[in-house]
Each structure stands twice: as C-alpha cells, then as structure tokens.
Amino acid sequence: MIADFKYTALYKRIGYQFKDAANLTLALTHRSFQKQHNERLEYLGDAVLGMIIAEELFKRFPQQPEGKLTRMRSTLVKGETLAVMGREFELGDVLQLGSGELKSGGFRRSSILADAVEAIIGAIYLESGYEVCQKLILNWFQSRINDLDPGAHPKDNKTQLQEFLQGRQLPLPEYTVREIQGKDHDQLFVVECSVTNLADVVLGTGSSRRKAEQQAAKSALEILNDAN
C-alpha cells in the first residue's frame, strides 16, 4: 500500500496501475542500487516495444517498403525518444539509483531514463500481457506516430551534433583520425571527435572514416544530452 501511494502520480501519467507495485519498483531500479535490478525487464520491454511499433507501422503504412518502415520504427524506439518520454513521465523522481549515480546526476541521464521506460514496458507485459501493452504503448506514441513522414530523411549524427552546437553558439566539432587498424581490404578507423567544453575524449570506430566520424558524433551527442 505504501508503494502504491508513492506511485499514485506515476500511475496517472503512464495510464496504468500495477497489480503489484513491487514489479514497478524493480523496473525503476538501476544496477547501481542493488544486485536485483531492471536490466532483464529492459531487455524484454525493448522486444515488446519493437514488435508493437513494427506491427502498427506495418498496418498504417501499407505502401511503404521495409527500409522506410525500419527508419520510422527506429525514430520512435531510439534512446533519445524514450528518454524524452521518461522525462514526460517524470521517472527521475522515482528511480532507485546508487549513491554514485545520484551524485553524478543519473536521475536525469538519458540512457537511464530510456532503459527505465523499456523496463516498465517489460513489467507491464509480464503482469498483463501483450494486448494491454499494445493499447498502452500506442496511446503513449499516438502523436509521434501521427507526425511521422515516410518521405523524411532523418538527420545523421554529425548534422545533429553540428546543429546542437550552433544552437548554443559553440564552435563546430573537429574530427581527427587517431588510428587505422588492419589491412587495406579490411580496415578499422578510429576517429576522435573534439568538442569545446567537453572534457571527455570521444572516440568512434568504423570500417570507413565516415562511419567512424558518425559513431564519434553519436557518442558526443549522448554525452552532451546527458549533461543537460
């Protein structure tokens, strides 16, 4: 009962009341807090979410090829989208984090929030099954699905990073090849992305310089977003 009272506001925000509040507590428990944590639920929730979104897009866009359906699904289920949803649900207020994560601002870290959303989905699936999950998730994602444009071309990571920095009047990133491993026909590029005011050394790897730069830009974006 105490746990139920603690989660009353969250139940309203997500549109679902857990039959056993302990299931929600586990979904909100980060590995830094205790040995029994939410990673298994996150794994399950990721699969359930992907299936429900894929099925909905398959039905809603009957003329679109596999490639466009995949891109649209990725836009909806990517970590950035789930982190925004986690903030909308105000999950940061109820997460169970270890002292180190609390001190470093883990309650607002995008990756932790996104993982918690997936874990909640996994917990709801175990409690109430696929149909309840489907109805709930489609309600959560309704406006985002309605806004999808099959003809849109998502911006790549380098473009997103550039726009992020320009929007804050910061210098553009610099990319430097740190290492090239392997033989000519099977090379692995290691690229560093340097961003002003970012103390971390951000590296990306890929089978080409372009792919390595994109991976480095993605990592830099994640760090910058987590810091906000």
Side-chain angles (χ1 to χ4, degrees):
M1 292 299 294
I2 294 175
D4 267 331
F5 179 77
K6 174 183 177 182
Y7 296 135
T8 298
L10 180 57
Y11 289 155
K12 292 180 180 178
R13 288 193 291 270
I14 67 175
Y16 178 86
Q17 179 161 342
F18 275 80
K19 301 170 186 175
D20 184 351
N23 294 329
L24 176 57
T25 297
L26 180 59
L28 295 169
T29 301
H30 187 256
R31 65 182 304 168
S32 63
F33 187 78
Q34 62 183 29
K35 289 184 179 179
Q36 190 175 14
H37 49 73
N38 65 3
E39 288 187 358
R40 281 172 55 84
L41 287 175
E42 172 202 338
Y43 159 80
L44 182 60
D46 174 66
V48 173
L49 173 63
M51 177 60 193
I52 289 170
I53 293 298
E55 181 181 0
E56 179 65 14
L57 295 179
F58 182 86
K59 292 176 180 177
R60 188 174 292 209
F61 300 99
Q63 303 304 319
Q64 297 304 323
E66 178 270 342
K68 288 191 176 180
L69 292 175
T70 298
R71 284 197 293 273
M72 288 190 288
R73 182 186 60 186
S74 296
T75 297
L76 293 172
V77 304
K78 66 182 180 181
E80 293 94 327
T81 302
L82 297 180
V84 169
M85 191 167 287
R87 294 186 181 96
E88 292 172 353
F89 292 155
E90 300 179 23
L91 296 185
D93 295 340
V94 289
L95 287 172
Q96 294 201 111
L97 303 170
S99 58
E101 283 292 348
L102 278 173
K103 290 177 182 177
S104 65
F107 59 91
R108 62 172 177 266
R109 184 164 296 125
S110 295
S111 58
I112 291 178
L113 291 168
D115 290 347
V117 171
E118 290 180 333
I120 288 173
I121 292 170
I124 294 172
Y125 173 77
L126 289 178
E127 253 201 14
S128 298
Y130 183 84
E131 289 186 4
V132 170
C133 265
Q134 183 182 42
K135 183 177 179 180
L136 196 64
I137 287 172
L138 293 182
N139 184 51
W140 291 356
F141 283 86
Q142 181 177 15
S143 62
R144 292 176 170 89
I145 294 175
N146 290 340
D147 289 341
L148 285 174
D149 178 4
H153 297 282
K155 296 175 182 177
D156 62 33
N157 293 309
K158 289 181 66 175
T159 301
Q160 290 183 54
L161 177 59
Q162 179 175 316
E163 291 181 354
F164 180 99
L165 296 172
Q166 287 176 328
R168 290 157 179 78
Q169 297 183 331
L170 294 172
L172 296 181
E174 295 183 2
Y175 299 92
T176 306
V177 177
R178 291 277 296 271
E179 188 178 357
I180 302 176
Q181 304 171 0
K183 299 180 180 179
D184 290 345
H185 67 282
D186 187 23
Q187 291 183 327
L188 180 70
F189 289 76
V190 181
V191 170
E192 177 181 350
C193 176
S194 300
V195 178
T196 302
N197 297 332
L198 192 61
D200 302 87
V201 175
V202 183
L203 299 177
T205 60
S207 57
S208 68
R209 176 171 180 167
R210 180 184 64 81
K211 290 181 179 179
E213 289 178 349
Q214 290 288 352
Q215 183 60 45
K218 179 181 179 181
S219 297
L221 265 173
E222 290 174 349
I223 295 172
L224 290 168
N225 283 322
D226 284 344
N228 287 340

